[in-house]
Amino acid sequence: MAYVATRGGERAIEQSERLYRAELGPIDAGRVEEIRKALPWLIDRVMGEASLYEPDLAALALAQSGGDLYEAVLLLRAWRTTQPRLAIAEPVTQDSLFTHRRISAAFKDIPGGQLLGPTLDYSHRLLATGVLEGRPFVPPAVEPAARPAPARQPSLAAWQKAAGLVADVPAVAVEPDDIPDLTREPLLFPAKRAHTLQSLARADTGGVLTLGYSAMRGYGNAHPTVNELRLAEAEVRVRHPRGTVFSAGRVKVSQAEVTTKGKSGKLELGFCATLGWNEVKVIAGATLDLNAPGAPKNSPVNEEFFLYHTEPVEASGFCIHFKLPHYVTFQSSLDALRDANTKKAAPAMPASQKQEEPA
């Protein structure tokens, strides 16, 4: 990198961090608990981009960073690297998810029915300004349905394949040890599909939205329709060394399939999933997955482009590093600029004073 280390400013650096901490104030378990309860969707975003599902630690990272998302994600990723890996969980299938919300924009009457679940999609965007005047906002109670929806819903894509609408992909048996791990292996191109989906799962939400939106506006080769969107809880099933499979608990997950008509006359699917509930990210990510095959090299929906430019820690770190001292390189540029200006301002030498060039 083109910067030099700063020396002699240890005390100033220490005091600058103390000033930052002083403005945040003391952090205790009560503050962390309040953040975890009050900002669940933000907690989900941090966990997804950090590749670590731990709501308490995500809330602590937000408290410790003062709400700086990139700093919180970096804190959580750094902590994750210190932890041992005990086991690899069993694969999770769509029909095994404990579903809270499941909708489709492609079909009205889908197997299992539409399940709206928790959403603000159909609400009026009005600020509850009365809260600032001392009138608490108390949400109305939820009215239970006469008949609860089934906890598990069938896969819409499986139904479409059975109906001949989607090209059937042969099932391939994959051993857990054969699955690439992006947190341990570098991203190489052309990327494996598993690497692509892992990258999208922990990519920056804003970056994925920006590039996914560019695909929706015409830079991609397909306009997506949301085939199926789910907010659910996935059972983490782990195999004990003795051979017994047991549940280690549930984690919140979100997933989206988007679809468009392919050249073969059947539907093509794009997919994205992540830890936590983050609808806009998985819809935009699935759109990028759908548009990536065959995208031009200079296109924002080219796989190499969007995977490199939606990595939050690397991108934010590179941007922030420009704040570090670049005195040597900048002074070198100034010296070159001054030299060029001096030569430009110098009067031209008369032709009579120029020495003849040797033959």
Side-chain angles (χ1 to χ4, degrees), residues 154-197:
S155 167
L156 180 57
W159 171 74
Q160 291 169 319
K161 289 177 181 178
L165 298 175
V166 178
D168 195 10
V169 180
V172 179
V174 179
E175 295 297 326
D177 293 339
D178 296 334
I179 300 174
D181 185 349
L182 191 62
T183 65
R184 294 184 171 186
E185 303 174 15
L187 180 64
L188 302 175
F189 294 97
K192 298 178 181 179
R193 183 90 191 289
H195 269 169
T196 298
L197 296 180

Side-chain angles (χ1 to χ4, degrees), residues 219-243:
Y219 285 92
N221 56 14
H223 184 284
T225 300
V226 174
N227 195 51
E228 181 177 351
L229 172 70
R230 288 197 194 208
L231 302 182
E233 294 179 46
E235 197 90 29
V236 181
R237 295 176 58 81
V238 181
R239 184 174 297 276
H240 192 274
R242 295 180 179 178

Side-chain angles (χ1 to χ4, degrees), residues 37-353:
K37 289 182 177 180
L39 303 170
W41 300 90
L42 185 60
I43 296 293
D44 285 358
R45 173 174 172 176
V46 172
M47 293 191 301
E49 295 178 11
S51 303
L52 178 70
Y53 192 91
E54 221 304 337
D56 288 333
L57 289 179
L60 175 59
L62 282 169
Q64 194 172 324
S65 65
D68 184 331
L69 287 182
Y70 295 112
E71 184 70 19
V73 170
L74 178 56
L75 284 170
L76 206 53
R77 282 197 188 183
W79 189 89
R80 176 180 52 77
T81 62
T82 67
Q83 302 306 301
R85 305 218 173 173
L86 302 179
I88 297 177
E90 297 284 311
V92 176
T93 59
Q94 284 183 317
D95 53 7
S96 67
L97 293 173
F98 188 91
T99 304
H100 291 252
R101 170 168 161 79
R102 173 180 179 255
I103 61 170
S104 172
F107 298 91
K108 178 181 178 182
D109 299 318
I110 57 176
Q114 306 268 1
L115 183 62
L116 296 187
T119 182
L120 293 176
D121 284 352
Y122 320 103
S123 66
H124 296 292
R125 269 61 175 189
L126 299 175
L127 272 177
T129 54
V131 173
L132 303 179
E133 300 169 359
R135 301 193 302 274
F137 174 74
V138 181
V142 177
E143 298 179 4
R147 180 171 57 88
R152 291 168 176 79
Q153 300 285 344
S155 167
L156 180 57
W159 171 74
Q160 291 169 319
K161 289 177 181 178
L165 298 175
V166 178
D168 195 10
V169 180
V172 179
V174 179
E175 295 297 326
D177 293 339
D178 296 334
I179 300 174
D181 185 349
L182 191 62
T183 65
R184 294 184 171 186
E185 303 174 15
L187 180 64
L188 302 175
F189 294 97
K192 298 178 181 179
R193 183 90 191 289
H195 269 169
T196 298
L197 296 180
Q198 287 176 39
S199 294
L200 287 172
R202 69 189 216 141
D204 176 58
T205 299
V208 173
L209 173 60
T210 297
L211 298 180
Y213 182 49
S214 74
M216 299 169 191
R217 293 191 63 247
Y219 285 92
N221 56 14
H223 184 284
T225 300
V226 174
N227 195 51
E228 181 177 351
L229 172 70
R230 288 197 194 208
L231 302 182
E233 294 179 46
E235 197 90 29
V236 181
R237 295 176 58 81
V238 181
R239 184 174 297 276
H240 192 274
R242 295 180 179 178
T244 305
V245 177
F246 66 97
S247 172
R250 291 176 180 167
V251 296
K252 291 165 64 179
V253 295
S254 48
Q255 66 163 65
E257 286 177 347
V258 298
T259 184
T260 190
K261 182 180 178 182
K263 296 180 181 179
S264 64
K266 294 190 176 183
L267 296 176
E268 294 180 353
L269 297 177
F271 180 81
C272 184
T274 190
L275 292 174
W277 290 353
N278 191 339
E279 294 185 17
V280 70
K281 176 178 176 177
V282 292
I283 293 174
T287 302
L288 291 173
D289 180 52
L290 177 66
N291 282 269
K297 188 71 174 178
N298 59 349
S299 168
V301 296
N302 174 269
E303 184 177 61
E304 184 172 348
F305 186 90
F306 70 71
L307 291 185
Y308 270 145
H309 295 93
T310 56
E311 165 48 47
V313 171
E314 184 173 345
S316 62
F318 191 85
C319 180
I320 290 173
H321 105 272
F322 287 112
K323 297 186 295 184
L324 297 176
H326 287 66
Y327 306 138
V328 173
T329 53
F330 188 68
Q331 288 301 321
S332 177
S333 298
L334 285 182
D335 290 342
L337 181 62
R338 292 190 185 105
D339 184 59
N341 289 337
T342 300
K343 292 179 179 179
K344 185 177 180 180
M349 183 182 297
S352 60
Q353 297 182 14

